[in-house]
Amino acid sequence: MSSLQHVNPTVKGIRESAHSGLQSLAAHVTQEIAQGMQKPFKGVIDISSGDPHKAGMKPISFVRQVLAVCLHPELLENKTLPLDVRLRAQRLLEVCDGGSVGSYTDSSGMPHVRQSIAEFIMRRDVGVHSHAKDVFISAGSQRGLMVILKLLASGEGDTQTGVLTPRPCPHTLPTLLDDAGVALVPYQLMEDRGWAVDLSELHRALKCDRGGCNPRAIYISNPGTPTGHVQDWKSIEEVIRFAAAERLLLLVDEVYQDSVYGQGKEFISFKRVLFEMGKEYSGTVQMVSLHSLSSACMGECGLRAGYMELVNMDPEVMHFVDTMLCTDISSPVTGQIALVLMVNPPRPGDPSYDTYTQEILLIQATLSQNAQRAHEFLNDLPGMSSQPAKGGIYLYPRLHLPSEIIEKAKKLEVEACVLYCQMLLKEEGVFLGAGCQNGETTGNHYLRLCILVPADTLEEVLARLASFHLRLMDTCPYPDRGVKGRDIRDTL
Amino acid sequence: MSSLQHVNPTVKGIRESAHSGLQSLAAHVTQEIAQGMQKPFKGVIDISSGDPHKAGMKPISFVRQVLAVCLHPELLENKTLPLDVRLRAQRLLEVCDGGSVGSYTDSSGMPHVRQSIAEFIMRRDVGVHSHAKDVFISAGSQRGLMVILKLLASGEGDTQTGVLTPRPCPHTLPTLLDDAGVALVPYQLMEDRGWAVDLSELHRALKCDRGGCNPRAIYISNPGTPTGHVQDWKSIEEVIRFAAAERLLLLVDEVYQDSVYGQGKEFISFKRVLFEMGKEYSGTVQMVSLHSLSSACMGECGLRAGYMELVNMDPEVMHFVDTMLCTDISSPVTGQIALVLMVNPPRPGDPSYDTYTQEILLIQATLSQNAQRAHEFLNDLPGMSSQPAKGGIYLYPRLHLPSEIIEKAKKLEVEACVLYCQMLLKEEGVFLGAGCQNGETTGNHYLRLCILVPADTLEEVLARLASFHLRLMDTCPYPDRGVKGRDIRDTL
């Protein structure tokens, strides 16, 4: 440990993400404000990643009330709390060892929680069977994914395990793949088709990289992070056929399944489609589906819980999933309990039902209105174009930057989108995600905005962003769209 | 993933622990009872590992009250909760992003929590400096240890990283080392000296295994798990000198620092000793010290939080610790908050002080009385001998088994202590840990008992254990100590 050269080479190989540099800058700016430095803004607004409560979204009261009672069971006697809250807490405490959330659970999660999740999946998938034994709980969906990636990892060079990964993908994914020692094999999503998955591109990516490594899985994010794309039945079927033909494990990130708002769109799970494709597929295609407590409506990122359902996995391989989760000993019990409440919320007639329903509807309405509002606003800015989001919690607009900025970025040896985000942070105190994927240069530049924020926060962000962006475009006028820029500025 | 041969070879190399087999058996017996099968006992009592709340110990009210308010901030107005509880919760919510425990935190933990821990360490170590930047929070101390092990891991065969590991060691450690891809280099603790660390044995172990692998760290558990040994100043100094001379990283498990009860014994941290040894050592010896919320007095295993303090670590290496914790995104916030309450409890004059103090004293008294009671009881049984525990939450008695049992175990291809535990579970519904280390045969047989349980639970365990044990010894009388066995039985 005495010097860097002795650090595990896999760990040393983990690429630094552009995001962590921007995070440091945001912390620095925040500190300057705390120290009294004058800035043209009050504070940094961070919508670079999905952290709804941080951005001001409210937790679901039912979830928090039940958790409070579970932690401090004397509240079972507190009559100001709804009866169903107290009954639920009592039931949950009964399934905790020793009646305490302070006890360890099975490494794969409490049987009651796994069973509740399996029942939720069956309701969601209109009766397709789900078994508690195939549901594994972990401290966040990313932790579950890491376990699967580590199981897959093997080989070096030509034989190194590869994972087909969308471009763009969730910004935390490349680091995870690096950490697991797995190669990233990129496939491009189709921006002009609202970031759809394209079958011929999957074939191209696979052919192109076979030889460079050994692709054994394909990662799909649906609804798409950060694209906002929502796959339809046909597209899902195509991906499944592809995975079946190429013998790839399907790693399906369905974390934002609770937030599809595009007109005529609905969430369809990969599992449901798989099981309607007949035994040839439903009996053979291996799949891991991920869901999380950090989903849009719950937004309970800090409680750390997620689950994965394994489909068609070898029992012997499942055994190793269990073994690997054992090294965490168990997942946080407060998170596990919140998972049960997520998949099994109050029902009509329950005292908490109306409040719960109103809170969920408010979150969903905020999200869908924000998606619409931000999309239109950004598209009206010169030098910016945004595909509409149909689901999920992000927009991923494209920047058409003046060549001066691109030249400046080259000189500074940063990606142009990173430079843009740095300047925006310093000048307006708005922290957006830089759209560049780790180390990948496509020549295009993007931003990532989380839109699951209170409406007034979004307005503040858009105003600051426009102010900065128009200044930038004015200083370095963009050849094609400069006029539009001035138009917009006049209306602000 | 389609077949076992493709699983990551490191993962496939994780040895199955005897413990997990016994856990399955315990679950099976419990299920039989639930299904109405008649047994000579009401239910399984599990004291095989440290899970105080499961065993019936009570949580600390102050911790649970503050957590309840943090989860459901409307309780800030609840006047039946002590004022200091509400003020503390308010203060903690202020340092959560967005005022919610549902927000992510820095991957290394909330700055406020890290700062509180650094201040606690300075008070504990009588002024030796501690810096928040050197404190890393993780979802349990084992998770932190895993990060360090993964950083250390490299090489194969002769060059594979090795870790000097005590025999006996915490029962979860061998699996962790396997998972990290690190070789276990055993050093024997001295049973006849109360399981003390012996310097010449450290040298022997190192010399013997250098060549087989590349030892780069030494793991020490103090107070000892599962031995109950507490190191004195001189012994700690010796280990530090040894680590310094051999350029080994010190991995110090100080998880039970809050539970030293042996007469004339006190907990002394490795860091305190290190910093009194002069600059030659304090400026160079690299150390990781682990502590946990699952400690004796808190016993909050289910909340999943622990921390490690890094001493003399290269900033570049620290950077990778941060990177690796990033793959977890962040640790559970409820656990982080409970950590602050652990290291910064109510003070004299605070409304919660008296209750808090009484609860802690009760836990400590239970532990120390149980240690004494169990030690004497076990030592009085024929074919059993136990070193006294001076700290920690375990006893680790030795079994002197009749040769018939040892032969039977050989035929069944299990360790004799595992067979003993299986029989005890089936016949009396008591689940003790089997003392054998993974795959290591020393010819001696041990049991592991967690003694942090309510006194009446311990009595029930001892009665059932004695009943089983005496039956066993009577059926297969032990040559040397059979007479003593009959004596005891007469008094029961």
Side-chain angles (χ1 to χ4, degrees):
Chain A
M1 298 289 273
S2 53
S3 86
L4 199 58
Q5 79 197 74
H6 295 305
V7 167
N8 181 345
T10 305
V11 176
K12 262 201 291 192
I14 299 176
R15 282 165 285 186
E16 194 74 26
S17 80
H19 191 65
S20 66
L22 287 170
Q23 274 180 314
S24 305
L25 180 60
H28 178 70
V29 174
T30 302
Q31 201 178 15
E32 285 180 341
I33 296 171
Q35 288 164 350
M37 195 178 284
Q38 287 298 311
K39 299 266 177 194
F41 48 86
K42 262 200 214 163
V44 171
I45 306 179
D46 175 5
I47 59 162
S48 64
S49 49
D51 194 351
H53 294 187
K54 177 177 181 177
M57 299 299 289
K58 295 278 165 268
I60 303 292
S61 303
F62 178 73
V63 173
R64 294 307 192 85
Q65 288 168 334
V66 174
L67 284 173
V69 180
C70 286
L71 276 158
H72 184 46
E74 277 180 32
L75 292 170
L76 285 168
E77 306 304 323
N78 184 320
K79 299 284 193 314
T80 67
L81 291 167
L83 182 63
D84 58 339
V85 162
R86 289 177 285 139
L87 288 175
R88 189 68 82 92
Q90 191 164 28
R91 167 86 185 101
L92 287 165
L93 285 172
E94 281 165 9
V95 296
C96 291
D97 280 335
S100 171
V101 297
S103 302
Y104 290 115
T105 71
D106 291 352
S107 298
S108 314
M110 295 160 71
H112 175 76
V113 181
R114 301 170 78 185
Q115 182 59 36
S116 297
I117 291 170
E119 288 164 11
F120 157 77
I121 294 172
M122 276 180 65
R123 286 194 303 275
R124 184 196 68 188
D125 291 344
V126 206
V128 177
H129 271 283
S130 174
H131 303 282
K133 70 172 178 46
D134 299 330
V135 174
F136 292 81
I137 295 164
S138 56
S141 62
Q142 180 142 324
R143 182 83 194 117
L145 177 59
M146 186 61 171
V147 165
I148 299 297
L149 292 175
K150 274 201 66 179
L151 275 178
L152 283 173
S154 64
E156 278 180 25
D158 294 5
T159 63
Q160 189 191 10
T161 297
V163 175
L164 281 175
T165 306
R167 185 165 55 201
C169 71
H171 69 279
T172 51
L173 187 56
T175 308
L176 208 65
L177 296 173
D178 284 349
D179 191 358
V182 159
L184 187 158
V185 181
Y187 65 90
Q188 182 64 46
L189 298 174
M190 300 297 126
E191 182 173 7
D192 54 356
R193 284 161 45 208
W195 297 110
V197 182
D198 183 80
L199 190 61
S200 59
E201 166 63 10
L202 294 184
H203 282 291
R204 185 210 58 77
L206 190 66
K207 201 177 283 173
C208 170
D209 272 75
R210 236 169 210 167
C213 67
N214 177 20
R216 291 178 57 197
I218 174 169
Y219 185 96
I220 296 264
S221 167
N222 180 49
T225 295
T227 63
H229 178 73
V230 176
Q231 276 183 279
D232 59 19
W233 193 289
K234 183 170 158 288
S235 162
I236 294 172
E237 221 176 65
E238 276 181 2
V239 173
I240 292 174
R241 278 185 218 282
F242 170 76
E246 304 292 347
R247 299 180 58 83
L248 297 172
L249 170 69
L250 273 165
L251 292 172
V252 196
D253 160 6
E254 295 179 319
V255 163
Y256 293 116
Q257 58 187 268
D258 68 350
S259 50
V260 171
Y261 40 78
Q263 200 142 28
K265 294 283 179 186
E266 60 169 333
F267 170 74
I268 308 163
S269 77
F270 266 68
K271 188 176 175 207
R272 187 175 165 197
V273 176
L274 176 64
F275 277 77
E276 297 231 0
M277 287 170 72
K279 198 71 193 149
E280 179 192 348
Y281 294 94
S282 68
T284 58
V285 174
Q286 296 190 322
M287 194 177 91
V288 176
S289 162
L290 299 153
H291 195 5
S292 170
L293 195 62
S294 311
S295 65
C297 290
M298 292 291 123
E300 294 285 6
C301 308
L303 296 182
R304 312 305 304 125
Y307 74 79
M308 53 186 178
E309 186 189 19
L310 272 47
V311 178
N312 287 324
M313 206 69 79
D314 218 308
E316 290 185 280
V317 175
M318 309 255 287
H319 166 74
F320 285 111
V321 173
D322 211 48
T323 304
M324 293 200 56
L325 286 170
C326 270
T327 63
D328 292 349
I329 306 190
S330 70
S331 305
V333 177
T334 44
Q336 294 194 48
I337 286 176
L339 272 182
V340 175
L341 304 173
M342 174 174 92
V343 298
N344 195 2
R347 294 176 192 194
D350 291 348
S352 299
Y353 180 74
D354 288 347
T355 306
Y356 171 81
T357 308
Q358 282 160 22
E359 289 174 347
I360 294 283
L361 287 177
L362 178 65
I363 293 168
Q364 288 174 337
T366 303
L367 185 54
S368 114
Q369 286 158 15
N370 283 355
Q372 182 78 9
R373 165 71 180 148
H375 166 64
E376 285 168 8
F377 187 96
L378 297 177
N379 259 345
D380 277 347
L381 287 179
M384 205 176 299
S385 62
S386 164
Q387 293 292 323
K390 311 287 188 186
I393 64 168
Y394 294 96
L395 276 188
Y396 192 68
R398 180 159 170 189
L399 287 169
H400 308 267
L401 290 170
S403 52
E404 288 90 329
I405 294 293
I406 292 169
E407 288 306 316
K408 190 175 168 191
K410 262 189 201 145
K411 265 188 213 146
L412 294 169
E413 295 183 346
V414 292
E415 295 277 342
C417 59
V418 175
L419 177 61
Y420 184 99
C421 289
Q422 288 171 346
M423 292 167 72
L424 175 62
L425 239 172
K426 286 187 210 160
E427 295 183 26
E428 295 286 346
V430 167
F431 181 9
L432 301 188
C436 54
Q437 299 285 315
N438 291 13
E440 298 236 335
T441 313
T442 60
N444 296 336
H445 310 290
Y446 299 91
L447 297 174
R448 184 182 63 246
L449 288 77
C450 173
I451 49 173
L452 185 51
V453 300
D456 55 349
T457 303
L458 182 68
E459 286 309 316
E460 175 73 20
V461 165
L462 295 178
R464 294 195 200 179
L465 173 61
S467 170
F468 164 78
H469 187 78
L470 294 174
R471 267 199 317 274
L472 188 78
M473 302 306 281
D474 204 38
T475 328
C476 331
Y478 182 75
D480 299 333
R481 299 174 78 178
V483 178
K484 192 173 153 213
R486 276 194 292 280
D487 286 352
I488 288 288
R489 232 172 32 145
D490 293 344
T491 67
L492 277 170
Chain B
M1 302 283 277
S2 52
S3 85
L4 200 57
Q5 79 196 73
H6 296 305
V7 167
N8 181 344
T10 304
V11 176
K12 263 202 290 191
I14 300 176
R15 280 164 288 185
E16 194 74 25
S17 80
H19 191 65
S20 65
L22 287 170
Q23 274 179 314
S24 306
L25 178 60
H28 178 70
V29 173
T30 302
Q31 202 178 14
E32 285 180 339
I33 296 172
Q35 289 165 348
M37 195 178 285
Q38 287 300 311
K39 299 266 179 193
F41 47 87
K42 262 200 215 163
V44 171
I45 306 177
D46 175 5
I47 60 164
S48 64
S49 49
D51 196 350
H53 294 187
K54 177 177 180 177
M57 297 299 290
K58 296 278 165 269
I60 303 292
S61 304
F62 178 74
V63 173
R64 293 305 193 86
Q65 289 169 334
V66 173
L67 284 174
V69 180
C70 287
L71 276 158
H72 184 46
E74 277 181 31
L75 292 171
L76 285 168
E77 307 304 323
N78 183 322
K79 298 285 195 312
T80 65
L81 290 168
L83 182 62
D84 58 340
V85 163
R86 289 177 286 138
L87 288 174
R88 188 66 83 89
Q90 190 164 29
R91 168 87 186 101
L92 287 166
L93 285 172
E94 281 164 10
V95 296
C96 290
D97 280 336
S100 170
V101 297
S103 303
Y104 290 116
T105 71
D106 291 352
S107 298
S108 314
M110 295 161 71
H112 175 75
V113 181
R114 300 170 77 184
Q115 182 59 37
S116 297
I117 291 170
E119 288 165 11
F120 156 77
I121 294 172
M122 276 179 64
R123 287 195 302 276
R124 183 197 69 187
D125 292 342
V126 205
V128 177
H129 271 284
S130 174
H131 304 283
K133 69 169 178 49
D134 299 329
V135 174
F136 292 81
I137 294 163
S138 57
S141 62
Q142 180 143 322
R143 183 82 195 117
L145 177 59
M146 186 61 172
V147 164
I148 299 296
L149 292 176
K150 274 200 66 176
L151 275 178
L152 283 172
S154 64
E156 279 180 25
D158 292 6
T159 64
Q160 188 190 12
T161 297
V163 175
L164 281 174
T165 306
R167 186 164 56 200
C169 70
H171 69 279
T172 52
L173 187 57
T175 307
L176 208 66
L177 296 173
D178 283 349
D179 191 358
V182 160
L184 187 158
V185 181
Y187 65 89
Q188 182 64 47
L189 299 174
M190 300 296 127
E191 181 173 7
D192 54 355
R193 284 161 45 208
W195 297 109
V197 182
D198 182 79
L199 190 62
S200 59
E201 167 63 9
L202 295 183
H203 283 291
R204 184 210 58 77
L206 189 66
K207 199 175 285 174
C208 168
D209 271 73
R210 235 170 210 164
C213 67
N214 177 20
R216 291 177 58 196
I218 174 169
Y219 185 96
I220 296 264
S221 167
N222 181 49
T225 296
T227 63
H229 178 74
V230 176
Q231 277 183 280
D232 60 19
W233 192 290
K234 182 169 160 286
S235 162
I236 294 173
E237 220 177 65
E238 275 181 2
V239 173
I240 293 175
R241 277 185 219 283
F242 170 76
E246 304 293 345
R247 300 178 59 82
L248 298 172
L249 169 69
L250 273 165
L251 292 172
V252 196
D253 160 5
E254 295 178 320
V255 163
Y256 294 116
Q257 58 187 267
D258 68 350
S259 51
V260 171
Y261 39 78
Q263 198 142 31
K265 293 284 178 184
E266 60 169 334
F267 171 74
I268 308 162
S269 78
F270 266 69
K271 188 175 175 209
R272 185 175 167 198
V273 176
L274 176 65
F275 277 78
E276 297 230 0
M277 287 170 71
K279 198 72 194 149
E280 179 192 349
Y281 293 94
S282 68
T284 58
V285 175
Q286 297 190 321
M287 194 176 91
V288 176
S289 162
L290 300 153
H291 195 6
S292 170
L293 194 62
S294 312
S295 65
C297 289
M298 292 292 122
E300 294 285 6
C301 308
L303 296 182
R304 312 305 304 127
Y307 74 79
M308 53 187 179
E309 186 188 21
L310 272 46
V311 178
N312 287 324
M313 206 70 78
D314 218 307
E316 291 186 280
V317 175
M318 309 256 286
H319 166 75
F320 284 111
V321 173
D322 212 46
T323 304
M324 293 201 56
L325 285 171
C326 271
T327 62
D328 292 348
I329 308 190
S330 69
S331 306
V333 178
T334 43
Q336 294 194 47
I337 286 177
L339 272 182
V340 175
L341 304 174
M342 175 175 91
V343 299
N344 195 2
R347 295 177 190 193
D350 291 348
S352 299
Y353 181 74
D354 287 346
T355 305
Y356 170 81
T357 308
Q358 280 159 22
E359 290 173 347
I360 294 283
L361 287 177
L362 178 65
I363 293 167
Q364 289 174 336
T366 302
L367 185 54
S368 113
Q369 285 159 16
N370 283 356
Q372 183 77 10
R373 164 72 180 147
H375 165 65
E376 285 168 8
F377 187 97
L378 298 177
N379 258 344
D380 276 346
L381 288 178
M384 204 175 299
S385 62
S386 163
Q387 292 293 323
K390 309 287 188 185
I393 64 169
Y394 294 97
L395 276 188
Y396 193 69
R398 181 160 169 188
L399 286 170
H400 308 267
L401 291 171
S403 52
E404 287 91 330
I405 295 292
I406 293 169
E407 287 307 315
K408 191 176 169 189
K410 261 190 203 148
K411 265 187 213 146
L412 295 168
E413 292 183 349
V414 293
E415 294 276 343
C417 59
V418 174
L419 177 61
Y420 183 99
C421 289
Q422 288 171 344
M423 292 168 72
L424 175 61
L425 241 171
K426 288 187 212 162
E427 295 183 25
E428 295 286 346
V430 167
F431 180 9
L432 302 187
C436 53
Q437 300 283 314
N438 292 14
E440 298 238 333
T441 314
T442 59
N444 296 337
H445 311 289
Y446 299 91
L447 297 174
R448 184 181 64 246
L449 287 78
C450 173
I451 49 173
L452 185 50
V453 300
D456 54 350
T457 304
L458 182 68
E459 287 308 317
E460 175 74 21
V461 165
L462 295 178
R464 293 194 199 179
L465 173 61
S467 171
F468 165 77
H469 187 79
L470 294 175
R471 265 200 316 275
L472 188 78
M473 301 306 282
D474 203 37
T475 326
C476 330
Y478 184 74
D480 299 336
R481 297 174 81 182
V483 177
K484 195 174 153 209
R486 276 193 291 280
D487 285 354
I488 287 288
R489 234 176 24 149
D490 293 343
T491 67
L492 276 168

